[in-house]
Amino acid sequence: MGSALIALPIVGLSIVNLISIALLLNNNPNLLTGWLSDGRSAKMDLDATGAMTNALPALYAACWWGAWRLMDREHLTGKREWILRFVLTGGILIAIYSALIKVARYDLLPCVFGLAVVFLAHRYSTGRLKLAKSMTSFLVMVAAVAALFLAMAWLRGSDELAALGKNVIGYTAASYNRLAALLDGDINFPYSGTGVYSFKFLTYIPVLNRWIDFASLFGMPTKEEAWISEFGAIAQSGLDGSYIWASAFGYVYSDIGILAVAYFFFIGLASMAAWRSMITGHVAGLTIYPWIAFSILFWMGDNFLAYSKLIVFAGTAVLMGGYEKLARAKRHQS
């Protein structure tokens, strides 16, 4: 594909995200500086009504796709595509800023982590990935993700080193303590068995949710109701109610019991298919696998793979796939 055709979706979605930022600022007049002075309040009080917030995951999916296509062009031609690099960098910066002003670490982290996955996977697919360098790159990537996580924790009010350390343990190793307590029956989530933890995307389907209450349709609580209920459940078990994660395994087990084994087996098969799609440069893999990889990295936390972003990525894959077919058809006609 030509540089202009690669740049077009990134530019289009960047503009949509700028509009989304403007709508957020209109809904939250103090948001421009509020997230710096009091990130926790900015996060909790955020009014995202009508702000097209699902445009953000679509943008970083387009950036993952664009990064791969850019590297393809540069690998084949041996030349630097500076204009396309500038466009891609602009899209990435807009995505990062969109996540930052919402103090949304689970919008920011997948974007950055996904770009690293795309870079390493492209080098692997072209035979340029060396073991020593790949290990270094992996360690740098993990350090960067950890640094971003701590930076977001700082924005949300953890301004002391001890508090930041507590956040690290509370959101990582301690999650498996809560998993053990859940398996022992000491933790009982009020909405266990409703499917909200295994199929959370069914509670909110972007765009269609404006007209259809999917949570009620499927007999599930909203994702906010499920989230709020977890704090009390953890506190009642005698553990620190400030940290609620019970790992992806714990959440799914609380929903479907021993069938969680089959659930994660299926995820393994889907991950393998998405990886193969990605390293061959197919749109579906480029827009979905980075999210799967991020979700697996954070299995210690929530079952992120089941979030409604999955629908956004799948929709983006369909649209980008159609776009590429049209672009190829136009090129053949020329």
Side-chain angles (χ1 to χ4, degrees), residues 192-231:
S192 294
T194 63
V196 68
Y197 298 117
S198 305
F199 309 101
K200 189 171 291 186
F201 58 86
L202 293 178
T203 67
Y204 180 86
I205 297 180
V207 181
L208 294 179
N209 214 74
R210 290 174 178 266
W211 300 283
I212 303 173
D213 184 354
F214 285 98
S216 296
L217 183 65
F218 291 109
M220 299 180 185
T222 65
K223 56 184 180 180
E224 292 80 12
E225 288 172 336
W227 174 65
I228 291 171
S229 74
E230 294 169 29
F231 291 94

Side-chain angles (χ1 to χ4, degrees), residues 229-242:
S229 74
E230 294 169 29
F231 291 94
I234 298 296
Q236 288 174 13
S237 73
L239 299 176
D240 187 347
S242 302

